[in-house]
Amino acid sequence: MARRTYRYAGRTWPDPRTTRAWRKLKTQVIAEEPICRLGYPGICTIRSTTADHIQPVAQRPDLGMDRANHRGACQPCNEHRNHASRTTPPAPKAATPPALRFFDPPP
C-alpha cells in the first residue's frame, strides 16, 4: 500500500497519521485534553477520542506531528469539522468599518 504524501515548501511530506509516533501523540493529546475542544452543538459527545489538527495536514504537512497544532476532539465533531471545511465556501471578507477606512490605500 502506497503512503499518502503532501507537497509543501518545496518538499514531499509523508502522511504521519499511519505511524506509531502519531498514535503516541494522539494518546498524549487525548490525555492532556480529555474534553472536546470543538463542541459542535447537537453532535458533540464531550469526551475527546481523537486529536484534531488545527492546521490540516493537507495544508501544512510540516505541522503534522507538532503538538501545538493539535487539540482534543470527539470523533463526531472532528468529522463534522473536516466535512464542513471541504463543503462550505469561505466566508466573505468583512467590510472595513468607516473609522478604519482612513488606513486604506487611495483608489
Side-chain angles (χ1 to χ4, degrees):
M1 179 173 91
R3 289 187 63 192
R4 173 179 265 169
T5 59
Y6 299 96
R7 295 281 306 155
Y8 178 75
R11 70 175 269 209
T12 302
W13 299 81
D15 189 338
R17 295 171 290 191
T18 59
T19 64
R20 187 178 307 149
W22 164 250
R23 288 189 297 274
K24 184 177 178 181
L25 177 59
K26 175 182 154 185
T27 301
Q28 176 188 349
V29 171
I30 293 168
E32 292 174 359
E33 301 179 24
I35 305 298
C36 178
R37 298 271 307 268
L38 298 176
Y40 287 110
I43 62 170
C44 187
T45 63
I46 307 299
R47 194 178 66 114
S48 291
T49 56
T50 65
D52 175 56
H53 289 88
I54 297 167
Q55 292 288 321
V57 173
Q59 293 174 6
R60 291 294 306 270
D62 58 320
L63 299 177
M65 292 298 293
D66 186 343
R67 171 61 182 97
N69 188 46
H70 295 85
R71 59 185 162 200
C74 68
Q75 187 70 33
C77 285
N78 198 1
E79 288 177 2
H80 176 75
R81 177 178 178 267
N82 293 337
H83 180 68
S85 67
R86 287 191 297 265
T87 58
T88 306
K93 187 176 178 184
T96 305
L100 297 177
R101 289 193 186 130
F102 173 80
F103 298 105
D104 289 347

